[in-house]
Amino acid sequence: MNIVLTVIWFTTYIVGTVWYELYIVHMFQQNSYKPREYMEWMQVHSNVGRLLGKCLYGIISLPLVLIGGRGCVIAACVLNIMTIIVNKPHAAKKPLVYTKRVKRMLMTTAAIYLIGMLLALFLPIGGYRIVLTELAATATEAVTYRLRVCAGILTGLFIVQPFLILLVNLINRPIEQGIDRHYINDAARILKEMPDLKIIGVTGSYGKTSVKYFLSTLLSCRYNVLHTPGNYNTTLGVVRTIREQMKPFHEIFICEMGAREVGDIKEICDLVHPDYGIITSIGPQHLQSFHTIENIIGTKFELADAVPADGKVFLNYDNEYIRAHKINKNVVSYGMTGEDINFRAYDIEVSPRGSSFKMKDENGDEYEFHTRLVGNHNVQNIAGAIAVAHTLGIPMEKLKYPVKQLESVEHRLQLKKQGNRIILDDAYNSNKSGFEAALDTLAMFKELRILMTPGMVELGEKQYDENKEVGIYAADKCDYAVLIGKEQTKPIQDGLLEAGFAQNRMIVVDTLQEAFQMVNAIPDEKQKVVLIENDLPDNYA
């Protein structure tokens, strides 16, 4: 009976291990396959607890098996089932994508486990030989002993799995580098064959995706435009866009450029060689990986460095870091504040139908625009897109209609109607400036204003202070605050209370589902407008 139970233990342990491994690979993918970012993620206190919770039952299971006895092995099997339950794959906001790279990582991990098991089962060394020839009274005992030794090796690998993925990444690195180089060279060849293609790089701590989509819409009224889709803002994302979507008839390529480390923007620029660049903003986004704001500034301006002498760099002069950073390039400024800006938006009015604003071009001529989008930062991003489109030859009057047709970028202050309430969906990863801009938009509404948020992450040692500051800022911008996560939102709670926000209008819940339930439970004093600010990614949720 013991060998049957041992086999059951072994089988359930393998299932739990596989699902735990898939979770680890998912988190590694969420951290862009970058070991440093992944290690920093693991050091976050809440993530340490999450990892421990997912492997604890499996770790306890091993000693019970080694002790032996029917009761201990049965208990170990139960613990394995608990491991399976806590690691069972669930619907994620950004699911694990089974790319060829992920499949290679899983195969390498499986090979390491397989080698360990084979050594345990078949290598006749030392104690194994003694047990098999002298102490094992029966063949069954010998097999059981071997399975238990195998279980010990499995558990050792299981315990170090969060670090084993780094070894797997190191083993696969030469293969991945060779494959990446082949694809990068192929993308470079495609671009070289299109010498008339105009390339526009777009980067910024926030706002770059919105500006990319807005600019693509405006330029499309005259040119054949290709832009990087979704969040394809890494080197390999850009490479994939070029290889799969670039056609000979394209006249303009809008390339979003994301960064988590110094040199990331330069790497993309070295591939595409932009003719124009737009820097939408600079702030403490991803400060956990950049470490200093100076590193962020230098990285974003890698785009400006790559623009040739006859090109132009479009800068958001509402951003203090951008305005203060002087460069020896042809600069076109845009924004909403200051008289020295080339393209300035002003007289902004917001309603449930959208926004209207006036704008002056570089000659001082005034134009009026209407858009279905809401929020000052949306107007700011539209101003940047208008500045580029007009500079590339499209008259301001001809831009009025495409501005009116602009669609909200999904989860970026997206205006929605949900029954009898208005939703301001700003659920994409938040930053302090964007958070405050969304609160400013919420404050413009006359309806019952409700803030729903889990706060901000990836801010390093500034995380408490910046979350507390937005809590203080939110106090007079909303009527209710529904906060997701007691510990996660503690800084926002402190900020709200410090600013005199009524405690009975601050609701703290554990999940997004509970948050919506509490919003529904808030008395219908008048129509509700709900700002959903930030939705934590799976590696923080």
Side-chain angles (χ1 to χ4, degrees), residues 23 27 30-31 37 40-42 44-47 50 93 260 288 429 454 456-460 463 488 534-541:
Y23 171 76
M27 296 303 100
Q30 291 267 300
N31 284 281
E37 289 186 23
E40 289 174 345
W41 170 82
M42 281 204 300
V44 176
H45 180 73
S46 59
N47 295 331
R50 187 176 296 112
K93 300 160 192 169
R260 285 176 176 264
Q288 186 170 313
N429 288 356
M456 302 177 291
V457 296
E458 294 187 337
L459 297 177
Q463 186 151 316
Q488 176 73 29
N534 202 18
D535 186 12
L536 295 185
D538 296 288
N539 49 326
Y540 282 96

Side-chain angles (χ1 to χ4, degrees), residues 452-471:
M452 181 192 299
T453 184
M456 302 177 291
V457 296
E458 294 187 337
L459 297 177
E461 60 187 24
K462 290 188 176 183
Q463 186 151 316
Y464 179 88
D465 291 338
E466 299 227 342
N467 275 288
K468 182 178 180 180
E469 287 173 15
V470 297

Side-chain angles (χ1 to χ4, degrees), residues 6-178:
T6 302
V7 171
I8 293 174
W9 178 91
F10 184 81
T11 303
T12 54
Y13 204 93
I14 288 293
V15 174
T17 298
V18 169
W19 284 2
Y20 181 51
E21 163 68 11
L22 290 177
Y23 171 76
I24 296 297
V25 172
H26 188 195
M27 296 303 100
F28 194 63
Q29 186 180 73
Q30 291 267 300
N31 284 281
S32 306
Y33 303 108
K34 294 186 176 180
R36 191 181 77 174
E37 289 186 23
Y38 172 74
M39 289 294 292
E40 289 174 345
W41 170 82
M42 281 204 300
Q43 292 170 24
V44 176
H45 180 73
S46 59
N47 295 331
V48 172
R50 187 176 296 112
L51 285 169
L52 183 61
K54 287 182 173 292
C55 70
L56 184 61
Y57 298 114
I59 294 173
I60 298 174
S61 174
L62 172 64
L64 293 176
V65 170
L66 296 182
I67 290 171
R70 180 190 178 95
C72 288
V73 178
I74 291 174
C77 291
V78 172
L79 288 171
N80 289 347
I81 293 172
M82 294 298 295
T83 301
I84 293 172
I85 292 172
V86 298
N87 287 285
K88 183 179 179 181
H90 63 281
K93 300 160 192 169
K94 188 177 179 181
L96 172 63
V97 181
Y98 287 89
T99 62
K100 291 181 179 179
R101 178 172 184 169
V102 165
K103 291 175 182 178
R104 287 190 291 269
M105 294 182 75
L106 292 175
M107 289 175 63
T108 302
T109 304
I112 292 173
Y113 271 88
L114 182 60
I115 291 170
M117 288 188 291
L118 290 175
L119 290 174
L121 291 173
F122 299 109
L123 192 61
I125 57 174
Y128 292 166
R129 184 183 296 109
I130 295 173
V131 169
L132 291 175
T133 59
E134 298 178 13
L135 301 181
T138 67
T140 299
E141 289 183 24
V143 172
T144 300
Y145 179 84
R146 285 282 191 166
L147 287 175
R148 287 178 181 171
V149 173
C150 184
I153 292 177
L154 278 178
T155 301
L157 291 172
F158 183 88
I159 292 171
V160 301
Q161 185 60 60
F163 303 96
L164 183 63
I165 197 70
L166 298 173
L167 174 61
V168 169
N169 184 64
L170 185 63
I171 293 171
N172 288 2
R173 186 175 179 182
I175 298 173
E176 302 301 338
Q177 287 180 332

Side-chain angles (χ1 to χ4, degrees), residues 321-335:
Y321 297 114
I322 293 176
R323 180 186 280 267
H325 192 84
K326 304 304 179 184
I327 58 174
N328 187 25
K329 299 285 182 177
N330 294 322
V331 172
V332 178
S333 58
Y334 69 90

